[in-house]
Amino acid sequence: MIRSRFYIIVNGKPWYITIFLPVTRYHVSEIMDTLSITGINEENYLNALENLTSSRVNNGITYSSSEHRETVSIWAIATSPAEYFNLLVHELHHLSVQIASMNDLDLEGEDVCYINGDIAQYLYPLCRPLII
C-alpha cells in the first residue's frame, strides 16, 4: 500500500490530502486511525470500516473535513488498469468537489478544475504503474 500526504493551496490556505492506494483489508487499522484524526463522524466511520473490511475491489472512499482542512481518500485494488483509472477519476472528482464545496467555490468554475488538475498531477507518478 502507498500512503501519500501532501497539500494544495485553496483560498490562500493549505488543504491537506492523504491518499491510500491500492488498499486491501490488511490496511484497515492505519486507515481508520487516519480517518479518526480528521474528526469523521460515527456514521461515516462505521461505513468506512464496513467498506474496508468487505474486501471489495474497484471502489473507494473520500472523506473531507472543513474544520481540519483535510481530505482522506482511500482507493481499493482494482480488477484491471482500466478499472483503476475509472476509480481514480471517480474518487478524484469526489475529492475536488468536496474541497471546492467546503471552500465556497463555484463547482462549474475554473478553481475546481485547477484543484482537480493539481491533485492529478501530484498523483500521476504514484498511479502510473497501476493504470499501465
Side-chain angles (χ1 to χ4, degrees):
M1 174 188 75
I2 298 167
R3 175 188 179 147
S4 184
R5 182 167 168 81
F6 59 100
Y7 70 92
I8 59 173
I9 300 298
V10 182
N11 286 343
K13 300 178 203 168
W15 189 282
Y16 295 92
I17 300 166
T18 303
I19 306 269
F20 293 94
L21 70 147
V23 171
T24 68
R25 65 188 197 138
Y26 300 105
H27 307 112
V28 172
S29 293
E30 179 181 353
I31 293 166
M32 297 310 295
D33 288 347
T34 301
L35 283 170
S36 292
I37 291 167
T38 67
I40 190 170
N41 67 40
E42 185 176 358
E43 179 182 354
N44 288 335
Y45 181 91
L46 294 174
N47 286 339
L49 182 60
E50 180 182 338
N51 187 310
L52 289 168
T53 57
S54 71
S55 298
R56 287 190 283 172
V57 297
N58 303 325
N59 92 13
I61 303 163
T62 298
Y63 172 78
S64 296
S65 167
S66 59
E67 180 182 347
H68 295 277
R69 296 188 60 79
E70 182 159 1
T71 299
V72 177
S73 195
I74 303 124
W75 307 349
I77 59 173
T79 54
S80 71
E83 284 290 348
Y84 211 84
F85 187 68
N86 180 357
L87 174 61
L88 183 154
V89 170
H90 181 101
E91 293 305 320
L92 186 55
H93 176 76
H94 283 308
L95 202 159
S96 299
V97 167
Q98 287 176 20
I99 292 170
S101 293
M102 291 178 176
N103 285 277
D104 297 319
L105 301 175
D106 178 5
L107 295 181
E108 294 182 16
E110 287 297 307
D111 287 338
V112 72
C113 294
Y114 285 118
I115 289 170
N116 207 23
D118 289 347
I119 296 167
Q121 192 170 16
Y122 176 85
L123 292 175
Y124 175 75
L126 300 176
C127 295
R128 185 173 185 264
L130 301 167
I131 58 176
I132 295 181

